[in-house]
Amino acid sequence: MSRTENIKARKPASRHCFVNCFRPLIPETLTLRLVRYTLENKGFRTESIAVVTTLTDEKEYDAESIADLYGYRWNVELDIRHIKRTLNLEHFRC
């Protein structure tokens, strides 16, 4: 059995659509990894950052790599915010 979501939709006479979703294979437990690090930038306060991830293999994904990836992700979030403000699309959400 694959780990896909089963989705059943029914369409009433109006323009609305009702969707029933269920995930039969949700794991009972989930192993997470907590990575803590500090950001030290001259002229700014030192910041403590905590990242929770499912990347649990410490040999393949060391703490420094996780911190770098989070920094890249944060910059992408800031870029998206800038684009949305520039195009006056702040009301759009994912």
Side-chain angles (χ1 to χ4, degrees), residues 8-86:
K8 296 179 182 178
R10 62 182 171 89
K11 194 168 188 174
S14 68
R15 304 187 99 196
H16 299 280
C17 181
F18 299 95
V19 177
N20 297 322
C21 297
F22 61 94
R23 297 181 64 158
L25 297 174
I26 296 175
E28 289 186 26
T29 62
L30 182 63
T31 302
L32 300 173
R33 178 178 169 199
L34 175 63
V35 178
R36 294 177 191 259
Y37 63 96
T38 57
L39 293 177
E40 297 176 2
N41 292 321
K42 190 174 182 177
F44 294 92
R45 287 188 289 173
T46 300
E47 251 185 289
S48 294
I49 305 291
V51 177
V52 177
T53 181
T54 56
L55 302 174
T56 57
D57 187 349
E58 293 182 48
K59 292 179 182 174
E60 189 171 352
Y61 307 101
D62 60 10
E64 186 177 342
S65 296
I66 298 290
D68 290 342
L69 288 171
Y70 183 77
Y72 295 139
R73 181 203 168 270
W74 186 252
N75 286 330
V76 168
E77 293 287 338
L78 294 176
D79 291 342
I80 291 171
R81 183 178 67 181
H82 174 73
I83 291 168
K84 287 171 65 173
R85 283 184 179 169
T86 301

